[in-house]
Amino acid sequence: MPDFCAAYGCANHRCLETRKRGITFHRFPKDGEGRRRWEVAIRRDGFAASARTLLCSEHFRSEDFDRTGQIVRLRDGVVPTIFNLPAHLQRSETRRSTSTSRRAEDNLPNSMDLIPDGSAEERSRLKEQRKQQATEHSYALPGSPEALKAKLEAALARVRKLEREKSNAFRREKRAKNNMQALLEELKEKNLINEELKDKLERYSDLPVHLLSKQGVEYTKAQRDFALTLHLHGPKAYHYLRDTLHIHLPHPSSLQRWLSSLDARPGLNKMMLDMLERRRQEDEDKYGCVTLMLDAMSIKKHVQHDPQTQTMLGYVDMGDRLNETDLATEALVFMVVGLQGYWKAPIAYYLTKSLTPETQKVLVVHAIEELHHRQIRVVCVTMDGHASNVSMCTQLGCNLKADPCEPLKTHFPHPVTHGKVFVMMDACHMLKLTRNMLEAYSPIRSATGRISWNYIVQLNNVQKKSGLHAANRVTDKHVNFANQKMKVSLAAQTLSNSVAVALRTLQDLDYAEFRDSEATSEFIKFRCSVFLFASSS
């Protein structure tokens, strides 16, 4: 196989030196229009060629090559045009000298058509001018299809380059926004976290979010702390990041598995109390004064094995590690709430069956003493109006069942400092009790008149009959609430200021059913104002 260039007077051959010089070799086309054009071009320049003829790249123009890929190729339809032949081998071409042939050769569009046949200099000048315009202006098209194709490919290459730069810029912008600080701002804008939780999570602002997307990689301590804190204080925000933004946060079951290694047995949580002490040392005003809240909730009887402690859970447990045989039916939970700043922390829970007021008093006093040892002052104790809670308050030193004409004693002495610790019944629970009492013991006589639940029933009937509501939300479910006694919203909407105004309006309109409803409307209005005051405080 020949390795030398077949052109006359060319000594280039395939070797390392020619490769370093950037010289490439190209074979004679085998068939088709390309072969015919090569034959015409080569024979015109004084030698013949076969299918095994090689020509080096020095006999082609630079625009004849396609250098976009790894291999340098000739473009379609190009022919060799550069040869170094002696004068006796060069073939001269005679041109037809008739006026008709000259006109056909020199025929150009637009301004060239206006030039007379004899103005050869002007024609030559305009030709050069058009060539110069084609090179100077980007919108001018080249004269040959090969140059036009090359220009198109160059433009497409620039488009691809700009698209890559745009894509890279978009990725950089996305990485800049995809940090923890931006996520916290988005959660705050969507009201998924409050300002205090946002400040609490600011310590994780330098945590790279893209590291959370690497599945199969063990979470770091900072990532675990962030996930546990966000899931504890903002479960909606946690599910938004995990399910909507598809950030690879740990599954809630993984969080439960991590927390299972902690000591969460019934009784006072020493770890939580120690954490509150550290927070108090950092911010005395925010964590120095608290309200102690307690509430009991019913639980299902259930016994299960705890693999961490190798014990059976579900029995009565007061935190004293005594083996009880009775199954627990209630869980009594103690929680402290800050008087300044929005924060709350559960500090204890107990599994009980039938807790006496005396035992409950001992638990409350013990919790207040433990908080005092950490220099956290309990200002108020909040609970619902259950009979056992009222009895416990009486044993602590309060007097909530005194003569109605005498003022109530709503505080008891602190077990350590002997200062006043106030008792406040849960406003929502007391509102439900008031609604239940009004429905069960109606009518009730008062100094202003007769207070009756029947007026609220008649209000609902009038509104259903007329098809209009007198700016209140009373419906059948508010009147027949037996199956929804625990819903605070129903009680709040029933004993609301809008209902009091509606009763007074119907009385002023001389409705016979509401002739003596003034005492009822005053009672509802008073209860509404008390509830609003208790809720705001």
Side-chain angles (χ1 to χ4, degrees):
M1 179 178 293
D3 289 334
F4 292 86
C5 180
Y8 181 88
C10 183
N12 291 331
H13 64 282
R14 285 179 173 170
C15 62
L16 184 60
E17 181 181 355
T18 56
R19 182 179 298 179
K20 291 181 179 179
R21 290 165 55 190
I23 298 176
T24 57
F25 291 83
H26 305 275
R27 193 174 302 282
F28 192 87
K30 294 182 179 181
D31 52 13
E33 181 64 22
R35 178 182 178 84
R36 188 188 66 79
R37 297 181 64 181
W38 273 49
E39 289 176 348
V40 173
I42 293 176
R43 289 176 181 175
R44 183 185 62 195
D45 289 295
F47 67 94
S50 65
R52 302 179 64 186
T53 301
L54 288 177
L55 290 179
C56 67
S57 57
E58 291 186 347
H59 303 290
F60 298 88
R61 296 173 299 177
S62 60
E63 59 267 19
D64 294 341
F65 296 96
D66 182 6
R67 304 181 184 273
T68 57
Q70 295 181 351
I71 301 176
V72 179
R73 293 183 174 87
L74 290 172
R75 299 185 184 276
D76 296 336
V78 302
V79 295
T81 57
I82 303 174
F83 295 99
N84 187 17
L85 299 176
H88 67 281
L89 292 180
Q90 294 182 2
R91 182 181 302 175
S92 60
E93 296 183 2
T94 59
R95 302 178 63 184
R96 305 179 73 176
S97 58
T98 63
S99 60
T100 303
S101 62
R102 286 200 304 271
R103 282 197 302 270
E105 186 180 67
D106 296 334
N107 186 22
L108 293 174
N110 299 331
S111 61
M112 299 292 290
D113 295 336
L114 303 177
I115 301 174
D117 294 342
S119 303
E121 295 181 357
E122 186 66 19
R123 290 177 180 276
S124 176
R125 187 182 65 80
L126 288 177
K127 286 182 180 180
E128 294 296 332
Q129 183 178 359
R130 290 176 65 87
K131 292 180 180 179
Q132 183 178 4
Q133 289 177 352
T135 57
E136 290 180 353
H137 301 290
S138 59
Y139 53 82
L141 296 177
S144 63
E146 293 81 3
L148 179 60
K149 184 178 180 182
K151 188 172 183 179
L152 176 61
E153 291 179 351
L156 293 176
R158 177 168 175 78
V159 170
R160 289 192 294 268
K161 179 182 178 183
L162 293 176
E163 288 179 349
R164 287 195 301 269
E165 293 178 354
K166 178 182 177 181
S167 178
N168 293 336
F170 178 76
R171 291 192 183 96
R172 288 194 297 269
E173 181 181 3
K174 186 176 180 180
R175 286 195 299 268
K177 292 182 178 180
N178 195 18
N179 54 41
M180 194 59 64
Q181 185 65 31
L183 289 180
L184 295 179
E185 292 292 342
E186 181 178 354
L187 294 176
K188 182 64 174 65
E189 292 176 359
K190 294 182 178 294
N191 293 326
L192 293 176
I193 59 176
N194 53 34
E195 191 65 33
E196 183 173 357
L197 180 56
K198 181 177 178 294
D199 295 339
K200 185 178 300 184
L201 297 174
E202 286 288 345
R203 67 181 68 180
Y204 307 104
S205 58
D206 297 333
L207 188 66
V209 178
H210 67 276
L211 295 181
L212 293 173
S213 62
K214 294 184 177 180
Q215 299 187 12
V217 180
E218 185 177 358
Y219 292 101
T220 63
K221 184 180 183 303
Q223 292 172 348
R224 290 191 176 198
D225 293 344
F226 170 77
L228 290 171
T229 304
L230 181 61
H231 188 268
L232 175 64
H233 298 283
K236 290 184 178 180
Y238 190 88
H239 291 298
Y240 173 78
L241 294 181
R242 194 174 189 275
D243 301 333
T244 305
L245 300 185
H246 303 290
I247 296 178
H248 188 64
L249 291 171
H251 192 273
S253 61
S254 299
L255 302 180
Q256 294 179 0
R257 187 176 67 254
W258 295 344
L259 294 175
S260 63
S261 59
L262 303 176
D263 185 9
R265 290 177 293 182
L268 283 171
N269 192 325
K270 299 294 184 181
M271 183 180 66
M272 183 64 70
L273 292 173
D274 294 340
M275 185 273 294
L276 290 175
E277 183 180 9
R278 293 193 298 269
R279 294 293 179 86
R280 183 203 56 78
Q281 294 173 356
E282 297 173 0
D283 192 342
E284 177 70 27
D285 295 335
K286 189 174 182 180
Y287 295 93
C289 296
V290 299
T291 294
L292 178 63
M293 301 179 63
L294 61 141
D295 192 15
M297 60 196 74
S298 298
I299 59 175
K300 183 180 179 181
K301 293 182 179 181
H302 178 69
V303 177
Q304 69 177 27
H305 179 257
D306 184 9
Q308 296 291 334
T309 60
Q310 296 297 321
T311 57
M312 302 300 293
L313 303 179
Y315 296 100
V316 172
D317 192 343
M318 303 301 295
D320 49 11
R321 307 299 181 261
L322 298 178
N323 295 326
E324 299 285 348
T325 57
D326 295 333
L327 293 178
T329 58
E330 286 186 345
L332 179 63
V333 180
F334 285 15
M335 183 169 62
V336 292
V337 181
L339 293 180
Q340 295 186 10
Y342 183 79
W343 66 269
K344 54 187 176 181
I347 61 171
Y349 78 96
Y350 304 92
L351 300 179
T352 66
K353 182 178 180 180
S354 56
L355 196 62
T356 61
E358 293 78 8
T359 306
Q360 189 168 323
K361 170 193 171 184
V362 173
L363 297 178
V364 171
V365 171
H366 181 48
I368 295 176
E369 291 175 346
E370 288 293 332
L371 290 170
H372 176 76
H373 292 161
R374 291 164 175 81
Q375 299 183 12
I376 299 176
R377 178 190 171 195
V378 177
V379 178
C380 175
V381 177
T382 302
M383 67 202 79
D384 57 32
H386 195 271
S388 62
N389 291 334
V390 176
S391 299
M392 179 197 69
C393 294
T394 302
Q395 295 186 19
L396 285 171
C398 299
N399 189 3
L400 304 179
K401 291 185 177 181
D403 188 348
C405 299
E406 298 293 332
L408 301 178
K409 183 181 180 182
T410 58
H411 58 83
F412 63 91
H414 193 283
V416 179
T417 63
H418 304 290
K420 291 183 179 181
V421 179
F422 292 90
V423 172
M424 181 177 293
M425 297 300 175
D426 180 45
C428 296
H429 188 261
M430 299 307 294
L431 186 65
K432 291 187 293 183
L433 291 181
T434 303
R435 187 267 318 268
N436 299 343
M437 180 269 300
L438 180 60
E439 189 268 342
Y441 297 100
S442 179
I444 302 173
R445 294 189 177 275
S446 67
T448 58
R450 188 169 63 97
I451 303 172
S452 177
W453 174 260
N454 185 58
Y455 291 121
I456 299 176
V457 176
Q458 292 297 329
L459 173 63
N460 181 47
N461 294 335
V462 170
Q463 292 182 149
K464 286 196 303 180
K465 183 177 180 180
S466 62
L468 298 174
H469 276 251
N472 62 83
R473 296 193 176 187
V474 174
T475 59
D476 288 339
K477 63 182 180 181
H478 294 79
V479 175
N480 305 314
F481 59 88
N483 295 329
Q484 304 183 73
K485 283 187 175 182
M486 298 303 295
K487 271 197 169 183
V488 180
S489 60
L490 295 182
Q493 292 167 1
T494 303
L495 302 182
S496 62
N497 187 60
S498 60
V499 173
V501 173
L503 294 178
R504 180 64 64 87
T505 302
L506 293 175
Q507 182 185 13
D508 295 340
L509 294 176
D510 293 333
Y511 275 77
E513 302 92 331
F514 303 93
R515 183 171 302 168
D516 299 326
S517 63
E518 182 177 358
T520 304
S521 61
E522 291 294 333
F523 172 79
I524 294 176
K525 189 174 182 180
F526 173 74
R527 292 297 176 184
C528 177
S529 60
V530 171
F531 172 72
L532 292 176
F533 172 77
S535 300
S536 61
S537 59

